[in-house]
Each structure stands twice: as structure tokens, then as C-alpha cells.
């Protein structure tokens, strides 16, 4: 019975660890934080951040972004990259836009932005605005 109890305890500990991993910073998109807010709700201490100019997952845009969504508003966020390749980031809200008839139009300045919607989970798309891009971007969230 000692081995069985140890296996059950280890399994319970693993399940608990996985539950904490999936909240906020886990495999899904991180929760949106307010501008200037520390991200301590799902991990302790400082998390290393990276300067990623144009992550490969970002949609290129001339500055205009057309967003299609069923959400009521779209959040414009600055991504705080927590992985070197730019695949993981914390979205820090800068502004928001109301959605009308399932779409919103955004005008963004040069740089990389995270366009997000909140629902049961956060959905996000990175958009990089650069002078080299000649077309607006279409994003569906």
C-alpha cells in the first residue's frame, strides 16, 4: 500500500501543478494586464522579458487593421515578450475600440502590437506596423 499511496500522491501533485500552470501564463494566451500593472497574479517574482522587433507570428500592416470578432470591444495592447522567439507574451492594454456589426477598424503607429479580445479566454493576434508594409491587415478573433 505504501507504493500505491506514493503513486496517488504524486499523481495528485502533478494534477495540481498542471492546474496552476494553465491559469494565466500556461499554454493559452496570458491574461491582459492594465498599463503599468505588475503581472503577479499567476507567477511570483520578475519574469525575464525580451525585445522582439517583429515576431514571425505577427501579421504585417501599414497601420490600418480591420478586426472581425463577435466580442463587444477590441483591446490594443503592447506585448511584453517572455520568450526569445516572441511566441509568448503578456498583453499590456494601451487602449480599446468598440466593435460595431462584428468589426472594428484600428489605426496603429509603427511597432508591434497585440490585438486582443476577452471572453472565456483571451484571444490575441500580433500585428507589426512598419513603413515597408503597404497593405492594411485583416485580423479575425
Amino acid at each position: 500500500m505504501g507504493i500505491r499511496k506514493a503513486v496517488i500522491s504524486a499523481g495528485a501533485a502533478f494534477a495540481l501543478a498542471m492546474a496552476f500552470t494553465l491559469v494565466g501564463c500556461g499554454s493559452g494566451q496570458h491574461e491582459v494586464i492594465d498599463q503599468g500593472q505588475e503581472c503577479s497574479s499567476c507567477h511570483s517574482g520578475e519574469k525575464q522579458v525580451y525585445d522582439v522587433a517583429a515576431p514571425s507570428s505577427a501579421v504585417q500592416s501599414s497601420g490600418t487593421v480591420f478586426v472581425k470578432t463577435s466580442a463587444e470591444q477590441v483591446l490594443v495592447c503592447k506585448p511584453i515578450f517572455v520568450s526569445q522567439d516572441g511566441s509568448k507574451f503578456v498583453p499590456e492594454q494601451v487602449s480599446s475600440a468598440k466593435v460595431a456589426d462584428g468589426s472594428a477598424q484600428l489605426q496603429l503607429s509603427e511597432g508591434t502590437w497585440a490585438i486582443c479580445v476577452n471572453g472565456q479566454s483571451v484571444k490575441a493576434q500580433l500585428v507589426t506596423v512598419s513603413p515597408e508594409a503597404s497593405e492594411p491587415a485583416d485580423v479575425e478573433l
Side-chain angles (χ1 to χ4, degrees):
M1 272 224 216
I3 292 175
R4 184 175 181 183
K5 188 174 184 180
V7 170
I8 291 172
S9 295
F14 177 76
L16 185 60
M18 290 306 294
F20 281 117
T21 299
L22 294 175
V23 174
C25 296
S27 60
Q29 178 55 53
H30 191 286
E31 65 188 30
V32 175
I33 62 173
D34 291 330
Q35 196 166 20
Q37 175 186 347
E38 290 296 320
C39 179
S40 60
S41 62
C42 54
H43 49 82
S44 60
E46 293 260 338
K47 195 165 190 124
Q48 185 169 359
V49 296
Y50 301 90
D51 183 26
V52 181
S56 61
S57 61
V59 173
Q60 300 300 308
S61 173
S62 60
T64 303
V65 180
F66 298 102
V67 183
K68 290 185 181 181
T69 182
S70 60
E72 293 180 11
Q73 72 172 347
V74 174
L75 307 176
V76 178
C77 303
K78 257 324 221 188
I80 301 169
F81 293 105
V82 293
S83 65
Q84 282 185 314
D85 65 357
S87 63
K88 295 185 184 202
F89 59 91
V90 176
E92 181 180 36
Q93 184 175 344
V94 175
S95 64
S96 64
K98 289 194 179 240
V99 174
D101 298 322
S103 65
Q105 180 178 337
L106 307 173
Q107 192 63 43
L108 304 175
S109 59
E110 190 172 341
T112 298
W113 300 91
I115 309 305
C116 306
V117 293
N118 273 327
Q120 282 187 321
S121 64
V122 174
K123 293 180 185 176
Q125 174 62 57
L126 293 172
V127 175
T128 297
V129 176
S130 68
E132 293 84 36
S134 60
E135 300 290 322
D138 292 318
V139 172
E140 190 166 340
L141 295 172

